[in-house]
Amino acid sequence: MLAKAMSLFLLGLVRLLTGAQARWYGCPPKAEQRIYFANHQSHADLVMIWAALPQELRSITRPIAARDYWTTSRLREWITTRVFNAIYIDRARTGEQDPLEPLVQALASGDSIILFPEGTRGHAEEPQPFKAGLYNLALRFPQVVLVPAWIDNVQRVMPKGEVVPVPILCSVTFGAPVALAPGEDRHAFLRRARDAVIALRNV
């Protein structure tokens, strides 16, 4: 009950501050297993995409969250665990641990996920080169639909050094699905996936 109340509160707050407009180009908001992959410029990106999805998709979609950031306080950890049902990844992993294992488990159980293929936040106009994770997941789960997304303006909601969020109209544009072509190598696919995200910037 508390998690549901917090979910409604956060949804209302995010939409008040950002508008959280979802724009669907090339694919409808359909309840099928998907990997949404997007540009990454703010810790708020996770919340922004979550808020932009309709409720029936939010309930089956799990965002990826960096453990070292989202578990630094009990409130953050509770929100990401109980409200967002996030999948934690360890950016400071050691040894032979597979960083994709939590994502593989989620996809194998039928969940959709929200992924930021850059791996870390960027500060340039365009996304950094995509890391191999998206390719490896596409190869392993060919039945999962890959949907590119462009998050616009969210980095201006909480400018660097500011404590109070600034109301700014933001949007998430979802594009046509991208599929791994037969025999396509990793570098070609990742360039094409990145280009699909960038192409949504001016839609």
Side-chain angles (χ1 to χ4, degrees), residues 31-136:
E32 62 186 358
Q33 191 177 22
R34 292 176 168 179
I35 296 175
Y36 299 95
F37 61 98
N39 58 313
H40 191 24
Q41 292 191 319
S42 166
H43 287 303
D45 291 338
L46 176 158
V47 183
M48 182 68 187
I49 289 194
W50 173 83
L53 292 173
Q55 193 281 329
E56 63 270 21
L57 298 190
R58 283 199 308 275
S59 65
I60 60 172
T61 304
R62 303 179 66 188
I64 309 305
R67 186 183 299 275
D68 59 288
Y69 176 80
W70 287 102
T71 61
T72 53
S73 74
R74 289 185 178 180
L75 178 59
R76 281 183 186 173
E77 184 172 6
W78 185 85
I79 288 174
T80 47
T81 301
R82 297 294 301 278
V83 177
F84 300 145
N85 192 24
I87 304 166
Y88 290 119
I89 57 169
D90 292 307
R91 294 189 292 188
R93 61 188 180 277
T94 57
E96 299 180 357
Q97 179 185 9
D98 182 359
L100 292 181
E101 186 56 32
L103 285 66
V104 168
Q105 292 178 4
L107 290 168
S109 68
D111 295 326
S112 292
I113 65 174
I114 298 169
L115 179 66
F116 301 105
E118 295 170 78
T120 187
R121 291 177 298 158
H123 302 286
E125 297 248 337
E126 294 187 349
Q128 303 171 82
F130 284 2
K131 296 186 182 300
L134 179 63
Y135 170 81
N136 292 330

